[in-house]
Amino acid sequence: MVRQVEFALRERSRGCHLVTQEVLERLGKLPQTGLVNLTLKHTSAGLCLNENYDPDVRHDLGAILDHVVPENQTYYRHTLEGADDMPAHAKSALTGVSLTIPITDGRLNLGTWQGIYLCEFRDYGGQRRVVATIIGE
């Protein structure tokens, strides 16, 4: 069985946000075993798996990415869409825009402290669209 669902995540401010529950609500019933691939249809945000308990991790990860890829660098040529745009594209390339997660016993098989993050790299990114492809039996 292969099923595909496309949905929008609610709009968020710049930063790393735990979205596991929001994603699960949109996936519907999962097969007993299989895989789910999540692909974010944007080039200025990212998806990753990380700490699902302490919100300081989300804050610190955002701060680290802002430090690694700062705004307003003189060597940026792509600047027409604002100071946060080119850095957002670079951060998206670093985090990636897709995740593949195993499904076991009808649930996402994540580690105890793992959750799905939406990493919003724009000040005003708007709703972010995700395509979920669910493969399983």
Side-chain angles (χ1 to χ4, degrees), residues 76-130:
Y76 293 161
R77 294 173 62 178
H78 178 73
T79 59
L80 293 177
E81 296 180 53
D84 65 340
D85 189 46
M86 187 57 234
H89 294 310
K91 293 171 191 174
S92 177
L94 292 172
T95 60
V97 295
S98 70
L99 297 172
T100 299
I101 303 169
I103 300 167
T104 305
D105 296 327
R107 300 175 53 207
L108 297 184
N109 193 343
L110 296 170
T112 302
W113 305 112
Q114 284 184 316
I116 301 168
Y117 282 20
L118 169 69
C119 301
E120 177 56 69
F121 301 129
R122 297 295 308 266
D123 290 330
Y124 305 102
Q127 286 187 336
R128 298 303 192 165
R129 299 217 45 92
V130 175

Side-chain angles (χ1 to χ4, degrees), residues 7-10 12 16-28 30 36 38 46-53 58 99 101-102 107-119 130 132:
F7 57 89
L9 295 171
R10 69 177 175 79
R12 289 177 165 78
C16 297
H17 305 277
L18 186 63
V19 296
T20 310
Q21 192 58 43
E22 188 175 356
V23 169
L24 284 171
E25 289 168 4
R26 286 162 176 81
L27 293 181
L30 294 174
V36 62
L38 303 172
L47 290 175
C48 70
L49 292 179
N50 218 304
E51 166 76 51
N52 68 358
Y53 180 74
R58 296 188 289 280
L99 297 172
I101 303 169
R107 300 175 53 207
L108 297 184
N109 193 343
L110 296 170
T112 302
W113 305 112
Q114 284 184 316
I116 301 168
Y117 282 20
L118 169 69
C119 301
V130 175

